[in-house]
């Protein structure tokens, strides 16, 4: 049932034939051309993942509606559920402004500036390689690594080096990593703070057209305890995010 029916609204006519007719007319109005149309019933996140797997999709493109607070708790985020469970990569677009043109909205197709947050996991190299394929010039790729603040480290009873030493070590590690994995020298920066917040702020400051992030696919208790940097970025950034499946 549609969420509107939970609040006493009229029961929608959700027959497959009617929805296909509406969808076909909408595609015609949007000048989308000859596209495949599919109607499924059930949980949106689950059904989208199943259709994508059945069709052998390599990429899902989904709009994010930016729900927060109670609305997010009640309805969840379809985009986040897709990222959590799908077998393929996902491109999450932001809601268009009322006065925005389609040309403004598709910068991600030919981005000038791409930010790649890295944590040196197995998926890091693939994220950097993807960003390099998307941009016209290597100068358009910013690789960033966010390390926790000393306050966060102390909270868990661990000792660490001063911030300036940690930043210098991080910078050296990024440079070495890029060379060892065949990416060559790139614009690389180390930051200190909450990963989600720092990624969002950095991408906004450099006016990035796209953020490319690997998804580690955490589930259950581990995900609840650690949270998901990818999901925090999706909730709060105004920049399209390409989430790569490992």
């Amino acid at each position: 049932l549609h969420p509107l029916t939970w609040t006493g609204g009229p029961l929608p006519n959700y027959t497959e034939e009617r929805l296909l007719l509406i969808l076909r007319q909408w595609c015609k109005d949007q000048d989308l051309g000859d596209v495949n149309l599919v109607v499924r019933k059930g949980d949106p996140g689950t059904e989208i993942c199943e259709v994508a797997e059945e069709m052998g999709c390599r990429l899902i493109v989904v709009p994010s509606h930016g729900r927060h607070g109670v609305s997010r708790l009640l309805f969840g985020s379809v985009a986040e559920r897709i990222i959590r469970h799908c077998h393929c990569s996902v491109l999450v677009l932001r809601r268009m402004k009322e006065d925005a043109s389609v040309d403004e909205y598709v910068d991600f197709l030919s981005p000038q500036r791409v930010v790649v947050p890295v944590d040196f996991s197995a998926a890091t190299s693939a994220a950097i390689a993807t960003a390099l394929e998307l941009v016209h010039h290597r100068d358009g790729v910013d690789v960033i690594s966010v390390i926790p603040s000393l306050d966060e480290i102390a909270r868990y009873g661990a000792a660490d080096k001063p911030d300036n030493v940690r930043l210098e070590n991080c910078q050296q590690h990024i440079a070495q990593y890029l060379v060892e994995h065949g990416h060559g020298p790139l614009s690389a920066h180390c930051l200190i703070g909450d990963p989600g917040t720092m990624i969002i702020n950095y991408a906004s400051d450099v006016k990035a057209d796209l953020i490319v992030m690997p998804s580690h696919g955490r589930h259950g208790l581990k995900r609840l305890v650690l949270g998901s940097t990818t999901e925090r970025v999706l909730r709060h950034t105004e920049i399209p995010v390409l989430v790569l499946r490992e």
Side-chain angles (χ1 to χ4, degrees):
L1 289 177
H2 191 278
L4 287 177
T5 65
W6 305 346
T7 58
L11 186 65
N13 180 2
Y14 272 0
T15 62
E16 182 176 352
E17 293 79 10
R18 181 173 180 273
L19 291 179
L20 272 174
L21 183 64
I22 293 172
L23 185 58
R24 188 174 294 111
Q25 183 60 50
W26 182 85
C27 290
K28 183 179 179 181
D29 294 341
Q30 303 297 320
D31 294 324
L32 296 183
D34 186 18
V35 295
N36 295 321
L37 305 179
V38 179
V39 171
R40 296 277 286 259
K41 287 188 178 182
D43 171 70
T46 302
E47 295 298 326
I48 290 169
C49 290
E50 288 183 359
V51 169
E53 190 160 10
E54 290 169 6
M55 298 176 66
C57 293
R58 295 182 59 190
L59 179 69
I60 296 173
V61 181
V62 59
S64 171
H65 300 294
R67 288 193 177 108
H68 300 282
V70 175
S71 177
R72 174 172 292 279
L73 290 175
L74 288 177
F75 305 122
S77 164
V78 173
E80 289 174 15
R81 292 206 300 283
I82 291 172
I83 288 168
R84 217 174 295 159
H85 300 294
C86 268
H87 70 289
C88 63
S89 299
V90 182
L91 174 63
V92 182
L93 305 180
R94 311 311 304 176
R95 179 186 290 276
M96 288 182 71
K97 297 176 182 177
E98 291 298 328
D99 58 348
S101 68
V102 174
D103 290 338
E104 292 178 55
Y105 197 50
V106 294
D107 283 343
F108 60 86
L109 291 175
S110 184
Q112 300 298 313
R113 197 75 177 265
V114 178
V115 171
V116 187
V118 300
D119 58 5
F120 308 106
S121 63
T124 292
S125 184
I128 297 172
T130 299
L132 286 170
E133 289 180 10
L134 291 171
V135 296
H136 295 295
H137 303 288
R138 296 173 56 85
D139 294 344
V141 174
D142 287 54
V143 177
I144 64 172
S145 178
V146 183
I147 53 182
S149 66
L150 289 176
D151 289 342
E152 291 171 325
I153 293 174
R155 198 175 302 154
Y156 296 98
D160 210 284
K161 301 172 183 176
D163 285 349
N164 61 327
V165 176
R166 299 164 65 224
L167 285 171
E168 183 178 348
N169 290 344
C170 176
Q171 201 72 42
Q172 292 174 356
H173 184 57
I174 288 184
Q176 182 179 352
Y177 180 91
L178 292 173
V179 172
E180 289 178 351
H181 288 77
H183 301 301
L186 291 170
S187 173
H189 306 274
C190 291
L191 310 170
I192 293 180
D194 170 71
T197 302
M198 300 306 292
I199 291 167
I200 293 166
N201 290 345
Y202 182 89
S204 176
D205 290 343
V206 301
K207 295 180 171 55
D209 301 306
L210 181 69
I211 300 172
V212 177
M213 301 184 69
S215 171
H216 301 294
R218 290 192 179 106
H219 301 280
L221 183 60
K222 184 176 183 182
R223 193 183 154 277
L224 289 173
V225 172
L226 299 178
S228 167
T229 297
T230 302
E231 290 178 9
R232 290 207 302 282
V233 171
L234 286 174
R235 290 176 199 176
H236 301 293
T237 187
E238 296 301 318
I239 298 169
V241 181
L242 174 59
V243 183
L244 300 177
R245 176 63 63 198
E246 287 185 271

